[in-house]
Amino acid sequence: MESNYHDRIPNNVDLGSNRTLQRALEHWQPEFLNWWHGLGPSDFNAAEVYLRTAISVDTKGWATFGYVKMPDYRWGIFLAEPETDRKIGFGDNFGQAAWQQVPGEHRSTLRRLIVTQGDTEPASVEQQRLLGHTAPSLYDLRNLFQVNVEEGRHLWAMVYLLHAYFGRDGREEAEELLERHSGDADKPRILSTFNEPISDWLSFYMFTYFTDRDGKFQLKSLAESSFDPLSRTCRFMLTEEAHHMFVGDTGIGRVIKRTIEVMKEFGTDDPVAMRKAGAIDLPTIQRYLNFWFSSSLDLFGGDSSSNAASYFANGLKGRPDEERYEDHLAAEQAHTLELPDGKGGVRSEQIPMRNAMNEVVRESYVRDCEKGLGRWNKLLEDSGYPQRMFLPSPRFRRTVGSWANIPTDLNGKPISAEEFAARQTEWLPTEGDRAYVRSLMKGVFERGKMAGWIAPPERGINTKPIDFEYVLLH
Ligand SMILES: [Fe+2]
Ligand SMILES: [Fe+2]
């Protein structure tokens, strides 16, 4: 498939052959840039950043590195190569030809799914817009901006689908994607996690580890869609998304590594001593983790959901890696949920598998989250420390689904509202924790230097050394 990198809007969808669509998107482009200047990264737009840009989807072109000023980044429209004769892989239409156009009866549902996904992309850029000022190193500053420009590209990916396949409604939705803003009282972003401010780098790493990983699972579900252009769009986005989770995974690991160094140096793990030495104590890291993990779990939706069942039945949204399942109809199977029994205990209930699809995806997400925990705990283990980081129970602090607003402890044991209130400071970041973490946030912009609360990365980006000048600030 040909890539038109030098068009005003780089693309591999032969945009030039559809003048109306091209003009509509060229009209949206300055609005996007306006949004970027107004709500994208604050300052740094004149800096030269060592960024990865997709110029095509093949192995040679999808990751082209070089210095770019962020507003000059070439945001393009790239879809994974089409699969010949792709068939629908699940649901009631299993085995039929995938759709190249939107079937009328699924138009509004598909539009809603695309808008909801699309809304998260610029939302995260807005949430992170002030972080550049407090980056712990030039390496981290570059990674932040890489994530930001790619979320911008993901917005482009969704806007392309809206413009190309949903006519006037789609164009209006594309405008609204730039009108809602993270945390805005009147026009907030659609999903609540994307209205949480991200004002420190520990939160940023938690967000890229836990919330971008939710993104990965949503994209994997949509990559299974019968609507082929959506599937191909999501498949290519996933290649970029992997780096965002890498930033979170290694970021949290580096914070823990630095804390271990300070624990060794002072021969104690006392949080007060850790803070005096300028490190982030392990219990604080755990509380941040509890917050972002529980918040990200809500993004998967209700554990028993008739919407999820109809998305699956109609082939709109599948299970990640659907080919790994034996039964692609999932019409006869059941799934067991553990639900609050209303008397302070837990009861099991079997529900039809299709209604449990959100839960099925959430469960594989939780398993994926555990991998990072293994790596971080290895650092503690190798240093001879007994402490371990852990994921709280998926029932903890939920606001969506059967466990919404049911107080539990970290093990998911239902407790009274009084006990939850009394123990919150043990489980979730306190004002004091946040103030302390914020007090550490001071930009380190000297080449090769690293803030004192985080260890350097193992290696640099694209085989460059760690002390490479990843951002030229001038
Ligand atoms: Fe994204
Ligand atoms: Fe992302």
Side-chain angles (χ1 to χ4, degrees), residues 41-97:
S42 121
D43 294 330
F44 302 101
N45 277 308
E48 306 261 356
V49 188
Y50 186 69
L51 290 176
R52 169 177 91 179
T53 305
I55 65 169
S56 65
V57 295
D58 52 32
T59 35
K60 274 207 309 270
W62 83 272
T64 307
F65 286 86
Y67 283 111
V68 186
K69 288 185 180 132
M70 284 187 282
D72 300 336
Y73 186 83
R74 304 280 283 137
W75 283 283
I77 298 164
F78 295 103
L79 274 60
E81 295 287 343
E83 232 174 78
T84 21
D85 295 327
R86 180 170 171 254
K87 301 277 189 281
I88 295 174
F90 63 95
D92 293 342
N93 305 317
F94 177 75
Q96 294 177 17

Short mmCIF file of all heavy atoms in Angstrom, two decimals, residues 41-97:
data_model
loop_
_atom_site.label_atom_id
_atom_site.label_comp_id
_atom_site.label_asym_id
_atom_site.label_seq_id
_atom_site.Cartn_x
_atom_site.Cartn_y
_atom_site.Cartn_z
N PRO A 41 1.16 20.36 25.04
CA PRO A 41 2.23 20.68 25.97
C PRO A 41 2.42 22.18 26.12
O PRO A 41 2.52 22.90 25.13
CB PRO A 41 3.46 20.05 25.32
CG PRO A 41 2.93 18.94 24.50
CD PRO A 41 1.58 19.38 24.02
N SER A 42 2.46 22.64 27.37
CA SER A 42 2.66 24.06 27.59
C SER A 42 4.15 24.35 27.40
O SER A 42 4.99 23.64 27.95
CB SER A 42 2.17 24.41 28.99
OG SER A 42 3.18 24.96 29.76
N ASP A 43 4.48 25.33 26.61
CA ASP A 43 5.86 25.65 26.21
C ASP A 43 6.51 24.49 25.44
O ASP A 43 5.79 23.59 25.01
CB ASP A 43 6.72 26.02 27.42
CG ASP A 43 6.24 27.31 28.04
OD1 ASP A 43 5.70 28.15 27.28
OD2 ASP A 43 6.36 27.48 29.26
N PHE A 44 7.81 24.56 25.25
CA PHE A 44 8.60 23.53 24.56
C PHE A 44 8.24 23.37 23.08
O PHE A 44 8.74 22.48 22.43
CB PHE A 44 8.48 22.17 25.26
CG PHE A 44 8.93 22.19 26.69
CD1 PHE A 44 8.01 22.24 27.72
CD2 PHE A 44 10.29 22.21 27.00
CE1 PHE A 44 8.43 22.28 29.05
CE2 PHE A 44 10.72 22.24 28.32
CZ PHE A 44 9.79 22.27 29.35
N ASN A 45 7.33 24.20 22.58
CA ASN A 45 6.97 24.01 21.17
C ASN A 45 8.07 24.48 20.22
O ASN A 45 8.05 24.12 19.05
CB ASN A 45 5.63 24.67 20.86
CG ASN A 45 4.48 23.75 21.26
OD1 ASN A 45 4.45 22.58 20.87
ND2 ASN A 45 3.56 24.24 22.08
N ALA A 46 9.03 25.24 20.74
CA ALA A 46 10.16 25.67 19.89
C ALA A 46 11.34 24.71 20.03
O ALA A 46 12.31 24.81 19.28
CB ALA A 46 10.59 27.08 20.26
N ALA A 47 11.27 23.79 21.01
CA ALA A 47 12.40 22.87 21.23
C ALA A 47 12.45 21.82 20.13
O ALA A 47 11.42 21.43 19.57
CB ALA A 47 12.23 22.20 22.59
N GLU A 48 13.68 21.37 19.83
CA GLU A 48 13.85 20.27 18.88
C GLU A 48 13.85 18.98 19.68
O GLU A 48 14.69 18.79 20.56
CB GLU A 48 15.18 20.39 18.15
CG GLU A 48 15.41 21.72 17.47
CD GLU A 48 15.11 21.67 15.98
OE1 GLU A 48 14.78 20.57 15.46
OE2 GLU A 48 15.17 22.73 15.33
N VAL A 49 12.91 18.09 19.38
CA VAL A 49 12.76 16.87 20.18
C VAL A 49 13.10 15.66 19.31
O VAL A 49 12.66 15.59 18.15
CB VAL A 49 11.30 16.76 20.70
CG1 VAL A 49 11.20 15.60 21.69
CG2 VAL A 49 10.85 18.06 21.36
N TYR A 50 13.87 14.75 19.87
CA TYR A 50 14.27 13.55 19.12
C TYR A 50 13.09 12.57 19.12
O TYR A 50 12.92 11.77 20.01
CB TYR A 50 15.50 12.93 19.79
CG TYR A 50 16.09 11.77 19.03
CD1 TYR A 50 16.73 11.97 17.81
CD2 TYR A 50 16.01 10.48 19.53
CE1 TYR A 50 17.27 10.90 17.10
CE2 TYR A 50 16.55 9.41 18.84
CZ TYR A 50 17.17 9.63 17.62
OH TYR A 50 17.70 8.58 16.93
N LEU A 51 12.26 12.68 18.09
CA LEU A 51 11.00 11.95 18.07
C LEU A 51 10.96 10.86 17.01
O LEU A 51 11.65 10.93 15.99
CB LEU A 51 9.84 12.92 17.79
CG LEU A 51 9.49 13.91 18.90
CD1 LEU A 51 8.39 14.84 18.42
CD2 LEU A 51 9.07 13.19 20.18
N ARG A 52 10.11 9.92 17.27
CA ARG A 52 9.80 8.87 16.31
C ARG A 52 8.56 9.31 15.53
O ARG A 52 7.57 9.71 16.12
CB ARG A 52 9.50 7.61 17.12
CG ARG A 52 8.89 6.46 16.38
CD ARG A 52 8.74 5.28 17.32
NE ARG A 52 7.44 5.26 17.98
CZ ARG A 52 7.05 4.32 18.83
NH1 ARG A 52 7.85 3.34 19.16
NH2 ARG A 52 5.85 4.37 19.37
N THR A 53 8.63 9.23 14.22
CA THR A 53 7.47 9.59 13.40
C THR A 53 7.14 8.41 12.49
O THR A 53 8.04 7.79 11.93
CB THR A 53 7.78 10.81 12.51
OG1 THR A 53 8.23 11.89 13.33
CG2 THR A 53 6.55 11.26 11.73
N ALA A 54 5.86 8.12 12.35
CA ALA A 54 5.45 7.10 11.38
C ALA A 54 5.36 7.75 10.02
O ALA A 54 4.67 8.76 9.85
CB ALA A 54 4.09 6.53 11.78
N ILE A 55 6.10 7.20 9.04
CA ILE A 55 5.95 7.73 7.68
C ILE A 55 5.34 6.67 6.76
O ILE A 55 4.96 6.95 5.63
CB ILE A 55 7.27 8.29 7.10
CG1 ILE A 55 8.31 7.18 6.92
CG2 ILE A 55 7.85 9.37 8.00
CD1 ILE A 55 9.51 7.67 6.11
N SER A 56 5.23 5.44 7.26
CA SER A 56 4.52 4.37 6.57
C SER A 56 4.32 3.27 7.61
O SER A 56 4.76 3.41 8.75
CB SER A 56 5.32 3.85 5.37
OG SER A 56 6.52 3.26 5.82
N VAL A 57 3.64 2.18 7.24
CA VAL A 57 3.37 1.15 8.25
C VAL A 57 4.31 -0.05 8.17
O VAL A 57 4.20 -0.98 8.95
CB VAL A 57 1.90 0.65 8.20
CG1 VAL A 57 0.95 1.78 8.56
CG2 VAL A 57 1.56 0.06 6.84
N ASP A 58 5.24 -0.03 7.20
CA ASP A 58 6.15 -1.18 7.11
C ASP A 58 7.27 -1.04 8.15
O ASP A 58 7.40 -0.02 8.81
CB ASP A 58 6.72 -1.33 5.69
CG ASP A 58 7.31 -0.03 5.18
OD1 ASP A 58 7.84 0.73 6.02
OD2 ASP A 58 7.24 0.23 3.97
N THR A 59 8.08 -2.09 8.29
CA THR A 59 9.09 -2.09 9.35
C THR A 59 10.09 -0.96 9.18
O THR A 59 10.63 -0.47 10.15
CB THR A 59 9.86 -3.45 9.37
OG1 THR A 59 10.00 -3.90 8.03
CG2 THR A 59 9.14 -4.48 10.18
N LYS A 60 10.33 -0.54 7.93
CA LYS A 60 11.30 0.53 7.72
C LYS A 60 10.74 1.90 8.12
O LYS A 60 11.47 2.73 8.64
CB LYS A 60 11.70 0.58 6.23
CG LYS A 60 12.83 -0.38 5.87
CD LYS A 60 13.65 0.11 4.66
CE LYS A 60 12.84 0.49 3.46
NZ LYS A 60 12.57 -0.56 2.50
N GLY A 61 9.46 2.09 7.87
CA GLY A 61 8.94 3.45 7.96
C GLY A 61 8.16 3.80 9.21
O GLY A 61 7.92 4.98 9.48
N TRP A 62 7.76 2.81 10.00
CA TRP A 62 6.82 3.17 11.07
C TRP A 62 7.51 3.88 12.23
O TRP A 62 6.89 4.58 13.00
CB TRP A 62 6.03 1.95 11.55
CG TRP A 62 6.74 1.11 12.56
CD1 TRP A 62 7.59 0.09 12.30
CD2 TRP A 62 6.66 1.24 13.98
NE1 TRP A 62 8.05 -0.42 13.48
CE2 TRP A 62 7.49 0.26 14.53
CE3 TRP A 62 5.96 2.09 14.84
CZ2 TRP A 62 7.66 0.09 15.90
CZ3 TRP A 62 6.12 1.93 16.21
CH2 TRP A 62 6.96 0.94 16.72
N ALA A 63 8.84 3.73 12.31
CA ALA A 63 9.57 4.37 13.41
C ALA A 63 10.79 5.08 12.84
O ALA A 63 11.88 4.55 12.81
CB ALA A 63 9.99 3.33 14.43
N THR A 64 10.58 6.30 12.34
CA THR A 64 11.66 7.09 11.77
C THR A 64 12.05 8.15 12.80
O THR A 64 11.20 8.95 13.20
CB THR A 64 11.17 7.77 10.47
OG1 THR A 64 10.63 6.75 9.63
CG2 THR A 64 12.30 8.46 9.75
N PHE A 65 13.31 8.14 13.23
CA PHE A 65 13.74 9.04 14.31
C PHE A 65 14.45 10.27 13.79
O PHE A 65 15.20 10.19 12.80
CB PHE A 65 14.68 8.29 15.26
CG PHE A 65 13.97 7.30 16.15
CD1 PHE A 65 13.72 6.00 15.72
CD2 PHE A 65 13.53 7.68 17.42
CE1 PHE A 65 13.06 5.09 16.54
CE2 PHE A 65 12.88 6.77 18.25
CZ PHE A 65 12.64 5.48 17.81
N GLY A 66 14.25 11.38 14.45
CA GLY A 66 14.96 12.60 14.09
C GLY A 66 14.47 13.76 14.94
O GLY A 66 13.43 13.66 15.60
N TYR A 67 15.22 14.88 14.93
CA TYR A 67 14.80 16.06 15.68
C TYR A 67 13.63 16.76 14.98
O TYR A 67 13.70 17.00 13.76
CB TYR A 67 15.96 17.05 15.82
CG TYR A 67 16.98 16.63 16.86
CD1 TYR A 67 18.25 16.23 16.49
CD2 TYR A 67 16.65 16.66 18.21
CE1 TYR A 67 19.18 15.86 17.45
CE2 TYR A 67 17.57 16.28 19.17
CZ TYR A 67 18.84 15.89 18.78
OH TYR A 67 19.75 15.51 19.73
N VAL A 68 12.60 17.04 15.74
CA VAL A 68 11.41 17.70 15.19
C VAL A 68 10.89 18.69 16.24
O VAL A 68 10.93 18.39 17.43
CB VAL A 68 10.26 16.67 14.95
CG1 VAL A 68 9.09 17.33 14.25
CG2 VAL A 68 10.73 15.46 14.18
N LYS A 69 10.44 19.85 15.80
CA LYS A 69 9.68 20.71 16.71
C LYS A 69 8.27 20.15 16.76
O LYS A 69 7.68 19.86 15.71
CB LYS A 69 9.64 22.14 16.17
CG LYS A 69 10.97 22.85 16.29
CD LYS A 69 10.85 24.31 15.86
CE LYS A 69 12.19 24.98 16.00
NZ LYS A 69 12.58 25.74 14.82
N MET A 70 7.72 20.02 17.97
CA MET A 70 6.43 19.33 18.07
C MET A 70 5.34 19.84 17.13
O MET A 70 4.65 19.04 16.51
CB MET A 70 5.94 19.30 19.51
CG MET A 70 6.68 18.26 20.35
SD MET A 70 5.94 18.13 21.98
CE MET A 70 6.64 19.58 22.75
N PRO A 71 5.16 21.16 17.00
CA PRO A 71 4.09 21.59 16.08
C PRO A 71 4.35 21.20 14.63
O PRO A 71 3.43 21.20 13.82
CB PRO A 71 4.07 23.11 16.24
CG PRO A 71 4.74 23.37 17.55
CD PRO A 71 5.77 22.30 17.71
N ASP A 72 5.62 20.85 14.31
CA ASP A 72 5.94 20.43 12.94
C ASP A 72 5.84 18.90 12.78
O ASP A 72 6.15 18.38 11.70
CB ASP A 72 7.35 20.87 12.54
CG ASP A 72 7.51 22.37 12.59
OD1 ASP A 72 6.47 23.06 12.46
OD2 ASP A 72 8.65 22.85 12.78
N TYR A 73 5.49 18.21 13.84
CA TYR A 73 5.34 16.75 13.75
C TYR A 73 4.35 16.43 12.64
O TYR A 73 3.33 17.11 12.50
CB TYR A 73 4.84 16.21 15.10
CG TYR A 73 4.78 14.70 15.18
CD1 TYR A 73 5.93 13.97 15.49
CD2 TYR A 73 3.60 14.01 14.98
CE1 TYR A 73 5.89 12.58 15.58
CE2 TYR A 73 3.54 12.62 15.06
CZ TYR A 73 4.70 11.92 15.37
OH TYR A 73 4.65 10.54 15.45
N ARG A 74 4.65 15.40 11.86
CA ARG A 74 3.77 15.08 10.72
C ARG A 74 2.71 14.08 11.19
O ARG A 74 2.91 12.87 11.10
CB ARG A 74 4.62 14.49 9.60
CG ARG A 74 5.76 15.43 9.17
CD ARG A 74 5.31 16.53 8.23
NE ARG A 74 5.12 16.01 6.89
CZ ARG A 74 4.08 16.32 6.10
NH1 ARG A 74 3.13 17.12 6.55
NH2 ARG A 74 3.99 15.82 4.90
N TRP A 75 1.61 14.62 11.71
CA TRP A 75 0.51 13.75 12.14
C TRP A 75 -0.17 13.16 10.92
O TRP A 75 -0.71 13.91 10.08
CB TRP A 75 -0.52 14.56 12.94
CG TRP A 75 -0.07 14.85 14.34
CD1 TRP A 75 -0.06 13.98 15.38
CD2 TRP A 75 0.44 16.09 14.85
NE1 TRP A 75 0.42 14.60 16.51
CE2 TRP A 75 0.74 15.89 16.21
CE3 TRP A 75 0.68 17.35 14.30
CZ2 TRP A 75 1.24 16.89 17.04
CZ3 TRP A 75 1.19 18.36 15.12
CH2 TRP A 75 1.46 18.11 16.46
N GLY A 76 -0.11 11.87 10.78
CA GLY A 76 -0.65 11.27 9.57
C GLY A 76 -1.71 10.22 9.83
O GLY A 76 -1.99 9.86 10.98
N ILE A 77 -2.29 9.74 8.73
CA ILE A 77 -3.33 8.71 8.82
C ILE A 77 -2.76 7.42 8.26
O ILE A 77 -2.47 7.33 7.07
CB ILE A 77 -4.56 9.15 7.99
CG1 ILE A 77 -5.13 10.45 8.57
CG2 ILE A 77 -5.60 8.04 7.96
CD1 ILE A 77 -6.07 11.15 7.62
N PHE A 78 -2.55 6.47 9.16
CA PHE A 78 -1.94 5.21 8.74
C PHE A 78 -2.76 4.04 9.24
O PHE A 78 -3.05 3.93 10.43
CB PHE A 78 -0.50 5.11 9.25
CG PHE A 78 0.40 6.16 8.65
CD1 PHE A 78 0.78 7.26 9.39
CD2 PHE A 78 0.83 6.04 7.34
CE1 PHE A 78 1.59 8.24 8.82
CE2 PHE A 78 1.65 7.01 6.77
CZ PHE A 78 2.03 8.12 7.51
N LEU A 79 -3.13 3.17 8.33
CA LEU A 79 -3.87 1.95 8.68
C LEU A 79 -2.97 0.75 8.38
O LEU A 79 -2.21 0.79 7.40
CB LEU A 79 -5.14 1.83 7.82
CG LEU A 79 -6.40 2.55 8.31
CD1 LEU A 79 -6.18 4.04 8.44
CD2 LEU A 79 -7.57 2.26 7.39
N ALA A 80 -3.07 -0.28 9.22
CA ALA A 80 -2.31 -1.50 8.94
C ALA A 80 -2.72 -2.03 7.57
O ALA A 80 -3.84 -1.79 7.09
CB ALA A 80 -2.57 -2.54 10.03
N GLU A 81 -1.82 -2.76 6.93
CA GLU A 81 -2.10 -3.34 5.61
C GLU A 81 -3.37 -4.19 5.66
O GLU A 81 -3.60 -4.88 6.65
CB GLU A 81 -0.94 -4.26 5.19
CG GLU A 81 0.39 -3.54 4.98
CD GLU A 81 0.40 -2.70 3.70
OE1 GLU A 81 -0.46 -2.94 2.83
OE2 GLU A 81 1.27 -1.81 3.59
N PRO A 82 -4.18 -4.14 4.60
CA PRO A 82 -5.39 -4.97 4.62
C PRO A 82 -5.05 -6.46 4.53
O PRO A 82 -4.04 -6.82 3.92
CB PRO A 82 -6.16 -4.51 3.38
CG PRO A 82 -5.16 -3.85 2.50
CD PRO A 82 -4.04 -3.36 3.37
N GLU A 83 -5.88 -7.25 5.16
CA GLU A 83 -5.74 -8.71 5.07
C GLU A 83 -6.64 -9.13 3.92
O GLU A 83 -7.81 -8.75 3.90
CB GLU A 83 -6.33 -9.31 6.35
CG GLU A 83 -5.46 -10.26 7.11
CD GLU A 83 -6.15 -10.62 8.41
OE1 GLU A 83 -7.09 -11.45 8.37
OE2 GLU A 83 -5.78 -10.03 9.45
N THR A 84 -6.13 -9.94 2.98
CA THR A 84 -7.01 -10.31 1.85
C THR A 84 -8.15 -11.20 2.35
O THR A 84 -7.93 -12.10 3.15
CB THR A 84 -6.21 -11.06 0.75
OG1 THR A 84 -5.04 -11.59 1.34
CG2 THR A 84 -5.87 -10.18 -0.42
N ASP A 85 -9.34 -10.90 1.86
CA ASP A 85 -10.53 -11.70 2.20
C ASP A 85 -10.73 -11.87 3.69
O ASP A 85 -11.06 -12.95 4.16
CB ASP A 85 -10.44 -13.11 1.58
CG ASP A 85 -10.46 -13.06 0.08
OD1 ASP A 85 -11.13 -12.16 -0.46
OD2 ASP A 85 -9.79 -13.91 -0.55
N ARG A 86 -10.50 -10.81 4.43
CA ARG A 86 -10.67 -10.93 5.89
C ARG A 86 -12.12 -11.30 6.22
O ARG A 86 -13.06 -10.77 5.66
CB ARG A 86 -10.27 -9.62 6.58
CG ARG A 86 -10.42 -9.69 8.08
CD ARG A 86 -9.81 -8.49 8.80
NE ARG A 86 -10.20 -8.57 10.19
CZ ARG A 86 -11.12 -7.78 10.76
NH1 ARG A 86 -11.69 -6.82 10.06
NH2 ARG A 86 -11.46 -7.97 12.02
N LYS A 87 -12.25 -12.25 7.14
CA LYS A 87 -13.58 -12.71 7.56
C LYS A 87 -13.87 -12.23 8.98
O LYS A 87 -12.96 -11.98 9.76
CB LYS A 87 -13.62 -14.25 7.55
CG LYS A 87 -13.32 -14.87 6.19
CD LYS A 87 -14.57 -14.89 5.33
CE LYS A 87 -14.37 -15.68 4.04
NZ LYS A 87 -13.64 -14.91 3.00
N ILE A 88 -15.15 -12.14 9.31
CA ILE A 88 -15.57 -11.78 10.66
C ILE A 88 -15.19 -12.93 11.60
O ILE A 88 -15.49 -14.08 11.32
CB ILE A 88 -17.08 -11.50 10.69
CG1 ILE A 88 -17.37 -10.26 9.82
CG2 ILE A 88 -17.58 -11.32 12.12
CD1 ILE A 88 -18.83 -9.93 9.64
N GLY A 89 -14.51 -12.58 12.70
CA GLY A 89 -13.90 -13.61 13.54
C GLY A 89 -14.69 -14.04 14.75
O GLY A 89 -14.25 -14.90 15.51
N PHE A 90 -15.88 -13.47 14.98
CA PHE A 90 -16.64 -13.81 16.19
C PHE A 90 -18.08 -13.32 16.05
O PHE A 90 -18.40 -12.53 15.17
CB PHE A 90 -16.00 -13.16 17.42
CG PHE A 90 -16.03 -11.66 17.36
CD1 PHE A 90 -17.06 -10.94 17.97
CD2 PHE A 90 -15.06 -10.96 16.66
CE1 PHE A 90 -17.11 -9.54 17.88
CE2 PHE A 90 -15.11 -9.57 16.56
CZ PHE A 90 -16.12 -8.87 17.17
N GLY A 91 -18.92 -13.80 16.96
CA GLY A 91 -20.30 -13.31 17.01
C GLY A 91 -21.21 -13.99 16.00
O GLY A 91 -20.84 -14.98 15.36
N ASP A 92 -22.41 -13.43 15.85
CA ASP A 92 -23.45 -14.06 15.04
C ASP A 92 -23.12 -14.11 13.55
O ASP A 92 -23.69 -14.91 12.81
CB ASP A 92 -24.79 -13.34 15.24
CG ASP A 92 -25.32 -13.53 16.66
OD1 ASP A 92 -24.84 -14.48 17.34
OD2 ASP A 92 -26.17 -12.74 17.10
N ASN A 93 -22.24 -13.20 13.10
CA ASN A 93 -21.88 -13.18 11.67
C ASN A 93 -20.55 -13.86 11.40
O ASN A 93 -19.92 -13.61 10.36
CB ASN A 93 -21.82 -11.74 11.15
CG ASN A 93 -23.11 -11.00 11.41
OD1 ASN A 93 -24.20 -11.55 11.21
ND2 ASN A 93 -23.01 -9.77 11.91
N PHE A 94 -20.14 -14.70 12.32
CA PHE A 94 -18.85 -15.38 12.22
C PHE A 94 -18.67 -16.01 10.83
O PHE A 94 -19.57 -16.70 10.35
CB PHE A 94 -18.74 -16.46 13.30
CG PHE A 94 -17.46 -17.26 13.22
CD1 PHE A 94 -16.27 -16.70 13.64
CD2 PHE A 94 -17.46 -18.55 12.70
CE1 PHE A 94 -15.08 -17.42 13.56
CE2 PHE A 94 -16.27 -19.27 12.61
CZ PHE A 94 -15.08 -18.70 13.04
N GLY A 95 -17.51 -15.77 10.21
CA GLY A 95 -17.20 -16.42 8.94
C GLY A 95 -17.64 -15.65 7.71
O GLY A 95 -17.22 -15.95 6.60
N GLN A 96 -18.50 -14.63 7.89
CA GLN A 96 -18.89 -13.81 6.74
C GLN A 96 -17.78 -12.81 6.41
O GLN A 96 -16.87 -12.59 7.22
CB GLN A 96 -20.19 -13.07 7.05
CG GLN A 96 -21.38 -14.02 7.22
CD GLN A 96 -22.64 -13.26 7.59
OE1 GLN A 96 -22.74 -12.05 7.43
NE2 GLN A 96 -23.63 -14.00 8.11
N ALA A 97 -17.88 -12.18 5.25
CA ALA A 97 -16.85 -11.20 4.86
C ALA A 97 -16.89 -10.00 5.79
O ALA A 97 -17.97 -9.53 6.17
CB ALA A 97 -17.09 -10.75 3.42
#
